[in-house]
Amino acid sequence: MTLRAEDVIYPTEAGLYCAPGDFYIDPLRPVPRAMVTHGHSDHARPGHGAVMATRQTLDIMAIRYGEDFAASRQIAEGPVRIGGVTASFHPAGHVLGSSQILINPDDGPRILISGDYCRTPNPVCLPWEPVACDIFITEATFGLPIFRHPNPLTEAGRLIASIAEFPNRPHLVGAYALGKAQRVIALARAAGHHGPIAIHGALKRLCDYHVDQGIDLGPLVAASDPGEAQLIIAPPSAFASPWVQRFRDPVLSYASGWMTVRAHARQRGVELPLVISDHVDWPQLTATIRELAPREVWITHGAEDGLTRWCEIEGIPSRPLRLIGYEDEPE
Amino acid sequence: MKAFARLLERLAFTPARNAKLTILSHYFQTTPDPDRGYALAVLTGTLDLRQVSPSLLKRLASERVDEQLFRLSYDFVGDLAETIALIWPTDAEVSTEVSLSQAVLLLRETGKLSLPGVIADLLDRLTAPERLAFLKLATGNLRVGVSVRLAHTALAMGTLRGSEEIEEIWHGQAAPFLPLFTWLAGGPSPAPASAPFRPVMLSTPITAEELAPLDPTRHIAEWKWDGIRVQAVAEDGMRRLYSRTGEEIGAAFPDIIEAMTFEGAVDGELLVRRGAEIAPFADLQKRLGRKSVGRVLLQSHPAALILYDILAWRGEDLRPLPLSSRRARLEAAPFDSPRIGLSPLLPFETWEELARLRAAPHAPVIEGVMIKRLDTPYIAGRPRGPWFKWKRDPMVIDAVLLYAQSGHGKRSGFYSDFTFGLWEGEELVPVGKAYFGFTDEELRELDRFVRRNTVQRFGPVRQLAPKLVVEVAFEGLNVSQRHRSGVAMRFPRISRIRADKPAADADRLETLRAML
């Protein structure tokens, strides 16, 4: 009997559920068995029974939640048969260890869950890989045609130019601890900033882990003792805390795809908005759908109205899953 | 256009004055002619460009983008020009740079019929930040918080010239300002404008306690009139009437221009006067800001000048002379028009006598007294010492409008509840709220200002571009722990709209605290 896609995977309150395999993908609450696409805290949560993910995602979860973040864990290596389906992990280009998950039922449509993904080359993780599928389950964080992320190196160049223009003002860049922070550091290096970069304490262990994994971040110092460092990276939440007061007349910056829109940048109170995103922008999102040419597109979270409309114009069947609990551009 | 787009973006996100100056001065130093000159003209509002309407832009966008996707995007972005700049579909990387000068000339020289095509073609050739800069330019909606004075200060940075020198030659220069930039770089002085503006000398506030140690015999005192400060210049057959910021306002005052039969530059107060009676400020306001004035208004609201200083006379620069000599020259100068009179000197020998005069002025349009030292030349700017203003009660302070919220009941639909702030360092700190004190006419004016100068919305509250100064009158002041400013005003009301006063000249928080 051929399975329908809707019977293989469907949204539940705990998140996307694969019925024949009896596991959840990026579950929002503790479940017996979970597959995790990447280490951002809204996708990778502690307290599950068994977790399957890439080695790096599992490492990151252990760094964040402690070694006992799940009862058992399994490294995703090659296709794995679970119940009536075969699951395999493929690089998503989002953050270190991030992957898409392909669910291939013995008898039924191939379903690709993109997780969060990005197609702009990123020095801190493996590039996104095209995977043939019948049903493409995609995020749509930047699912409106206004989102066309500039070349991230150009944005890093703006940061470096501002440091040159205001050499006596420390530049504080808000960047999420996993992925964005290391990417901003790597981009600043590529743009020619060779001096020490100071990092907020909350970033230390994840930066160390990236270095362990062979990603060169250059000289890093603690933001508590920044010395001569002109560039300081901190999680955005630190900007609202008294932590910032130690810096004299800082230039506040924030690295995010949302910085495309001025009102968002103003709301953040930043002086130097940097459009650096770990998600696909509109041209990449729509090009990916064209390239994979799935029979159907399901949309997990983000600006689904925009993408739904585009699919309608293109004649591609689509439906929003309206999964609640994933942040727009998460930590 | 790339450098200009970057400039606008940096300015839009940089609130601090000093950082704005750094950004501007770098731009002027690194951008070639004629682009930097056009940028200067755009920033100082001296470029007369065709304004592109929002409906034209919407129509252009609708030809390129699915209507539903556009609507979703516009809802998300909240700003039409920004939405179009971001959403405008372009195929390839833009290869050839379009210069700001080219864009300006296109806007200036394209006829109405071909305008849509020209704009669409230009948008095709620009990057997203450039498209935004261009659309802001085309809709006349820059909102980057740069005043003429700030631009002058930035121009002077790193050059041998001072901003006052620039102010002095500013009139008579026009985009793209090539002689100006040559002169800034050490070249010859640009051709002087006829009847140029002279940067004005300003006063600082003073209290009775601060006055006590000063010698009354070395000072003169005059009424502080509730009009606006102007400079009337008639030279080489040219007559100009300037506001204190150097803006030409002569078009609204043909009666004054006609009366300027002298050859020189004088400093005084512009008022509406009927016979011997000087009318309240609200009457003068009816004349301000107009491009032309009708006969009826000229008759019902006749303008007059009360002079208190003389800066030049028949080709001679009198500014280096001490005030005593200038006053003598002013009194000797013939002004053969009943519209022009002299500011009378107040008779006093002690500060107590002056205090009594100040407490009981003969006319309600007197808002205090001016005290000026006799031995100082006319110095541009606001030197502390030679000139003081000693305002009469109630306490008033000039504050900048920061936020507005719409009112209820009779004022439904009107922005009538205002939060205003004072300067602390380079920041405006909110100090209070006021929702009355203005007339119905002024309420409409404030409402228009709010709608045109909203920079952001927080639910029902609009954040305003910090540029409108209002005089806030209040009855007392208390220390407050709850307010960031540390003080709370009693009974604050907006007693006057000071559209003539630049925001940078609003009062400072320490001035308010000193009133405690």
Side-chain angles (χ1 to χ4, degrees):
Chain A
M1 180 198 78
T2 302
L3 288 171
R4 295 183 312 154
E6 293 84 338
D7 300 327
V8 177
I9 283 200
Y10 48 84
T12 69
E13 281 191 8
L16 267 186
Y17 179 61
C18 173
D22 185 25
F23 60 83
Y24 291 82
I25 293 126
D26 290 351
L28 299 157
R29 56 178 70 164
V31 297
R33 294 201 296 173
M35 290 191 186
V36 174
T37 58
H38 65 283
H40 278 149
S41 54
D42 51 340
H43 292 258
R45 294 172 197 254
H48 305 307
V51 171
M52 182 189 283
T54 62
R55 178 193 295 276
Q56 287 165 330
T57 297
L58 291 171
D59 287 348
I60 288 163
M61 290 176 80
I63 288 171
R64 296 200 133 164
Y65 305 124
E67 287 297 333
D68 56 351
F69 68 88
S72 73
R73 55 180 110 161
Q74 183 178 349
I75 296 168
E77 281 172 319
V80 190
R81 263 195 67 84
I82 304 173
V85 303
T86 304
S88 54
F89 284 59
H90 308 267
H94 176 59
V95 296
L96 186 62
S98 66
S99 32
Q100 315 168 71
I101 296 173
L102 179 71
I103 307 290
N104 196 352
D106 295 343
D107 188 12
R110 293 163 303 171
I111 302 166
L112 181 66
I113 298 124
S114 74
D116 291 339
Y117 65 111
C118 182
R119 300 190 58 180
T120 307
N122 183 341
V124 304
C125 66
L126 292 175
W128 178 89
E129 189 182 287
V131 180
C133 58
D134 302 301
I135 309 291
F136 182 43
I137 304 185
T138 182
E139 60 142 323
T141 303
F142 295 113
L144 283 173
I146 49 172
F147 291 108
R148 277 179 283 180
H149 303 325
N151 182 338
L153 205 53
T154 311
E155 294 299 284
R158 293 176 52 229
L159 173 62
I160 306 307
S162 177
I163 293 174
E165 191 160 41
F166 296 102
N168 298 320
R169 300 179 67 193
H171 283 59
L172 263 64
V173 182
Y176 286 113
L178 169 61
K180 191 66 68 64
Q182 296 78 26
R183 188 170 181 206
V184 169
I185 294 170
L187 283 167
R189 298 300 183 205
H193 188 84
H194 302 300
I197 294 176
I199 54 170
H200 185 278
L203 307 182
K204 178 150 188 356
R205 290 213 296 162
L206 284 167
C207 284
D208 286 349
Y209 179 68
H210 278 72
V211 174
D212 285 347
Q213 294 296 301
I215 293 152
D216 184 13
L217 299 179
L220 300 181
V221 296
S224 52
D225 184 17
E228 294 298 294
Q230 293 171 293
L231 178 55
I232 295 104
I233 316 283
S237 56
F239 283 9
S241 75
W243 177 84
V244 181
Q245 292 165 7
R246 70 188 69 201
F247 302 100
R248 209 185 139 268
D249 191 21
V251 174
L252 293 189
S253 176
Y254 184 46
S256 161
W258 298 114
M259 295 298 104
T260 300
V261 176
R262 287 193 165 187
H264 279 248
R266 289 219 179 81
Q267 243 154 33
R268 287 268 175 186
V270 300
E271 210 169 306
L272 183 67
L274 298 175
V275 185
I276 298 175
S277 173
D278 292 336
H279 294 261
V280 278
D281 63 2
W282 176 261
Q284 291 175 346
L285 178 59
T286 51
T288 301
I289 294 173
R290 283 207 180 103
E291 184 180 335
L292 299 181
R295 227 168 54 208
E296 254 180 66
V297 173
W298 298 359
I299 304 160
T300 54
H301 61 287
E304 59 246 21
D305 291 350
L307 189 58
T308 306
R309 172 64 184 159
W310 179 84
C311 289
E312 188 187 329
I313 296 169
E314 297 287 312
I316 303 167
S318 75
R319 67 181 176 107
L321 298 179
R322 303 197 201 285
L323 293 180
I324 292 158
Y326 298 112
E327 293 163 36
D328 284 335
E329 191 166 296
E331 190 158 341
Chain B
M1 195 90 180
K2 285 197 173 64
F4 180 66
R6 267 198 303 273
L7 173 72
L8 288 193
E9 164 154 355
R10 294 296 324 252
L11 290 173
F13 283 105
T14 303
R17 184 172 177 272
N18 277 347
K20 275 196 161 93
L21 285 173
T22 304
I23 291 164
L24 280 168
S25 107
H26 282 180
Y27 175 83
F28 290 133
Q29 281 162 21
T30 56
T31 309
D33 291 318
D35 271 22
R36 60 178 173 175
Y38 283 112
L40 176 62
V42 169
L43 293 170
T44 53
T46 53
L47 200 63
D48 208 8
L49 282 182
R50 177 190 301 283
Q51 302 268 294
V52 177
S53 68
S55 61
L56 168 65
L57 294 180
K58 272 185 193 154
R59 205 171 69 231
L60 285 177
S62 71
E63 287 164 10
R64 306 272 174 138
V65 185
D66 173 63
E67 187 263 335
Q68 201 174 326
L69 284 173
F70 185 85
R71 188 178 45 76
L72 289 168
S73 299
Y74 187 19
D75 283 352
F76 188 88
V77 174
D79 178 281
L80 182 67
E82 193 180 339
T83 307
I84 295 175
L86 292 171
I87 210 168
W88 192 263
T90 47
D91 303 331
E93 281 295 295
V94 182
S95 51
T96 51
E97 161 100 22
V98 179
S99 72
L100 173 61
S101 325
Q102 286 172 297
V104 164
L105 293 178
L106 273 177
L107 271 181
R108 203 145 71 170
E109 278 153 29
T110 306
K112 203 172 173 190
L113 279 179
S114 38
L115 195 61
V118 166
I119 291 177
D121 175 62
L122 197 59
L123 290 175
D124 282 340
R125 292 157 62 203
L126 297 173
T127 61
E130 293 174 285
R131 287 194 293 270
L132 181 57
F134 172 71
L135 290 171
K136 291 281 174 189
L137 184 71
T139 52
N141 221 342
L142 288 177
R143 287 183 191 165
V144 287
V146 174
S147 63
V148 174
R149 198 171 289 181
L150 190 81
H152 287 169
T153 310
L155 282 171
M157 282 166 73
T159 73
L160 299 169
R161 317 292 181 191
S163 61
E164 270 96 21
E165 288 175 86
I166 298 174
E167 231 170 77
E168 197 147 335
I169 61 138
W170 178 248
H171 286 273
Q173 309 303 314
F177 298 102
L178 301 182
L180 173 73
F181 282 107
T182 311
W183 169 72
L184 284 171
S189 210
S194 51
F197 172 70
R198 275 90 171 166
V200 298
M201 179 163 178
L202 301 166
S203 63
T204 54
I206 198 163
T207 62
E209 294 76 50
E210 291 166 319
L211 261 180
L214 303 180
D215 180 358
T217 64
R218 298 179 61 187
H219 293 81
I220 57 164
E222 304 165 86
W223 293 123
K224 187 179 188 316
W225 301 97
D226 193 13
I228 67 162
R229 177 90 177 269
V230 292
Q231 191 176 106
V233 188
E235 286 172 327
D236 303 326
M238 183 65 87
R239 294 177 188 182
R240 297 186 204 264
L241 187 65
Y242 295 106
S243 75
R244 53 181 277 191
T245 50
E247 208 182 318
E248 274 202 70
I249 56 170
F253 297 93
D255 41 358
I256 296 292
I257 296 285
E258 192 194 322
M260 288 164 56
T261 53
F262 54 87
E263 176 79 13
V266 289
D267 187 356
E269 197 81 4
L270 179 66
L271 299 144
V272 164
R273 195 180 63 191
R274 297 184 186 96
E277 194 197 334
I278 293 172
F281 185 77
D283 281 32
L284 176 63
Q285 234 168 354
K286 288 222 159 55
R287 295 280 304 265
L288 289 170
R290 292 173 177 271
K291 291 220 163 84
S292 65
V293 190
R295 218 156 37 101
V296 175
L297 195 60
L298 279 173
Q299 295 224 325
S300 63
H301 292 68
L305 270 183
I306 298 179
L307 302 182
Y308 31 69
D309 218 320
I310 186 162
L311 314 182
W313 196 253
R314 295 179 182 159
E316 186 189 352
D317 188 355
L318 305 181
R319 288 174 293 175
L321 301 179
L323 174 60
S324 50
S325 308
R326 296 202 309 277
R327 178 74 201 189
R329 296 290 293 265
L330 181 66
E331 287 174 4
F335 296 101
D336 44 7
S337 166
R339 291 190 188 278
I340 301 180
L342 295 196
S343 160
L345 298 185
L346 302 182
F348 72 103
E349 275 167 22
T350 63
W351 296 126
E352 289 70 32
E353 283 179 39
L354 184 61
R356 275 196 292 278
L357 288 170
R358 169 179 165 268
H362 62 84
V365 294
I366 290 170
E367 51 173 10
V369 294
M370 297 296 300
I371 300 163
K372 298 175 178 174
R373 228 169 78 176
L374 280 162
D375 61 358
T376 42
Y378 191 93
I379 308 161
R382 198 189 296 277
R384 181 153 178 92
W387 286 15
F388 296 111
K389 54 182 163 193
W390 192 19
K391 286 194 182 180
R392 63 183 286 215
D393 310 326
M395 296 190 218
V396 291
I397 199 138
D398 286 337
V400 182
L401 283 192
L402 298 176
Y403 300 95
Q405 199 167 350
S406 52
H408 300 284
K410 203 176 116 200
R411 290 162 161 185
S412 293
F414 271 105
Y415 285 91
S416 58
D417 301 5
F418 301 98
T419 302
F420 47 84
L422 298 175
W423 292 103
E424 180 174 45
E426 292 166 358
E427 260 184 38
L428 282 164
V429 177
V431 293
K433 284 187 174 189
Y435 12 91
F436 64 100
F438 34 75
T439 63
D440 287 356
E441 176 54 39
E442 285 170 326
L443 173 60
R444 282 192 285 278
E445 189 184 332
L446 288 167
D447 182 71
R448 272 196 303 277
F449 173 83
V450 169
R451 290 174 197 283
R452 287 178 190 165
N453 291 279
T454 299
V455 293
Q456 208 180 331
R457 294 176 198 198
F458 306 95
V461 179
R462 289 183 175 225
Q463 185 184 350
L464 309 175
K467 58 189 199 189
L468 185 63
V469 177
V470 292
E471 184 188 75
V472 178
F474 55 99
E475 296 304 311
L477 209 53
N478 298 318
V479 176
S480 163
Q481 305 299 330
R482 282 191 309 128
H483 294 81
R484 186 178 154 203
S485 61
V487 287
M489 296 174 173
R490 207 146 44 80
F491 213 47
R493 67 265 184 192
I494 294 180
S495 49
R496 216 170 114 184
I497 301 169
R498 297 295 310 264
D500 59 310
K501 194 166 195 173
D505 286 353
D507 282 306
R508 312 192 59 80
L509 183 55
E510 61 240 34
T511 311
L512 182 65
R513 286 190 181 136
M515 292 177 176
L516 270 171

